[in-house]
Amino acid sequence: MDTSTLSLFVEAARRRSFSAVARIRNVEPSSISRAIAALEAEIGVRLFQRTTRSLELTEGGKLYLERIEPLLGEIESARSAAIDLTRRPAGRLRVACPLAFSVLLLAPLLGTFQRAFPAITLDIVSSDSELDLVAERIDIAIRLGPRQEVGYVGTRLFPTRYRVVASPIYLKNTKPPEVPVELSKHPCLVFDLPGYRDQWLFRTPAGEIERIAVSGAIVFSNALALHSAAVAGAGPALVADWKIRDELADGRLVDLFPYHDVATSDFDTAAWLLYPSRAQLPAKARVFIDFLRGHLTDQHVIG
């Protein structure tokens, strides 16, 4: 089998539609169906469950996707790397990322990147809104949370954890919560996103999960402002670990529940690099992705 058929399978799996793939590739849906059927016959496994209304991966299809997608990425990376040896990465690269991420993690690296690739012009779009990559002409987006966006290629930068923290200033004037449920008695600092605003999830070392309702008189739409308010003693806050490494180290913030995992809706979260397509990924995008993967790892961010 050739990689074009495998790439077609991955795209169909991500979009859950032969018709959608056909529209993008400007071919008849029947040609997509025939190619997938030929692939299934060749490997001897049914990859999709098809109905008139849905297209779902079988268990075998899910396993095949998990193994094939990274391999395709490596093949494409090798091809592009060979081509890029004769090209100098250049041009404008438009990158979208959350405001706090751009200030705390991305901005300190940009001087190093510019010195390494002076012909690339970076256009950094700092926004906590999830911008449409195609409509906003975004080459690369950095997103935080569980992997969720079908239709884009995703590369995980580093896993994220969340902590419930408060400052010694706040704790000096109130009885610290000893168990998560006691947070309901405290004026928490809440972020204006679903989950952050209403309830926080706690998981014990034994794996027991507890949903705790939270509320507060201050609601933030800006993660940096919430962070500053927590340090200033305004109340407990749920904050990503990479934002508070220094504050925890020097005592400006205290982890209230160090033996719990904390989340809003999903414990398996990460920082992701998303881009519209792996095919024909320009050299300027590839070197930026490789640069971030080399500089923003577990050890660099939270180690």
Side-chain angles (χ1 to χ4, degrees):
M1 68 190 71
D2 59 29
T3 57
S4 62
T5 301
L6 297 177
S7 177
L8 188 151
F9 159 70
V10 170
E11 193 170 356
R14 291 302 180 198
R15 297 183 182 277
R16 296 184 181 180
S17 170
F18 289 169
S19 297
V21 176
R23 284 194 299 271
I24 293 170
R25 298 189 174 214
N26 196 28
V27 297
E28 292 295 323
S30 59
S31 68
I32 306 296
S33 182
R34 286 195 299 271
I36 295 298
L39 176 60
E40 291 175 324
E42 184 169 356
I43 65 175
V45 174
R46 187 171 182 82
L47 299 172
F48 292 100
Q49 293 287 359
R50 306 168 178 82
T51 70
T52 55
R53 295 185 178 180
S54 67
L55 182 72
E56 299 291 339
L57 285 168
T58 63
E59 286 301 311
K62 291 177 182 177
L63 179 61
Y64 196 64
L65 177 65
E66 290 175 1
R67 300 293 181 88
I68 286 297
E69 190 172 22
L71 292 177
L72 283 177
E74 290 302 317
I75 291 171
E76 178 59 28
S77 295
R79 185 191 70 84
S80 297
I83 294 174
D84 289 345
L85 284 176
T86 61
R87 297 177 181 172
R88 183 186 183 193
R92 181 175 295 277
L93 188 68
R94 191 166 165 83
V95 179
C97 65
L99 178 59
F101 193 102
S102 68
V103 172
L104 299 176
L105 295 183
L106 185 59
L109 299 175
L110 297 183
T112 301
F113 181 81
Q114 188 177 42
R115 287 188 289 273
F117 302 99
I120 296 178
T121 300
L122 288 174
D123 185 358
I124 306 297
V125 183
S126 299
S127 173
D128 290 328
S129 300
E130 293 194 353
L131 302 177
D132 185 300
L133 273 63
V134 176
E136 299 292 336
R137 298 176 292 105
I138 302 296
D139 298 298
I140 299 170
I142 299 169
R143 297 277 168 82
L144 304 171
R147 172 67 188 273
Q148 57 185 338
E149 297 200 39
V150 176
Y152 296 123
V153 178
T155 298
R156 194 173 81 158
L157 273 176
F158 56 85
T160 56
R161 295 179 64 210
Y162 289 84
R163 314 308 312 166
V164 175
V165 296
S167 76
I169 300 170
Y170 176 80
L171 297 174
K172 181 180 179 180
N173 298 307
T174 188
K175 182 179 183 297
E178 296 181 358
V179 291
V181 71
E182 292 182 1
L183 283 171
S184 61
K185 302 175 183 178
H186 290 258
C188 295
L189 304 177
V190 292
F191 195 49
D192 192 19
L193 283 177
Y196 287 86
R197 186 174 50 228
D198 307 313
Q199 64 177 7
W200 299 340
L201 302 184
F202 291 82
R203 184 169 61 192
T204 68
E208 298 173 348
I209 296 176
E210 189 175 12
R211 295 178 181 269
I212 303 300
V214 295
S215 62
I218 308 176
V219 180
F220 293 89
S221 61
N222 182 300
L224 288 177
L226 184 149
H227 172 271
S228 295
V231 173
L238 176 67
V239 188
D241 51 5
W242 56 266
K243 295 178 185 175
I244 54 173
R245 176 180 60 180
D246 294 339
E247 289 82 352
L248 288 175
D250 62 24
R252 283 179 290 160
L253 288 173
V254 176
D255 187 345
L256 298 179
F257 307 104
Y259 300 109
H260 286 74
D261 294 324
V262 191
T264 57
S265 60
D266 195 317
F267 288 98
D268 185 15
T269 59
W272 296 90
L273 283 171
L274 299 182
Y275 39 100
S277 174
R278 182 179 283 114
Q280 307 288 324
L281 188 65
K284 60 183 179 181
R286 187 172 305 283
V287 295
F288 187 76
I289 291 169
D290 290 342
F291 176 83
L292 291 189
R293 291 180 68 181
H295 286 79
L296 295 179
T297 63
D298 278 7
Q299 183 175 2
H300 291 114
V301 174
I302 57 177

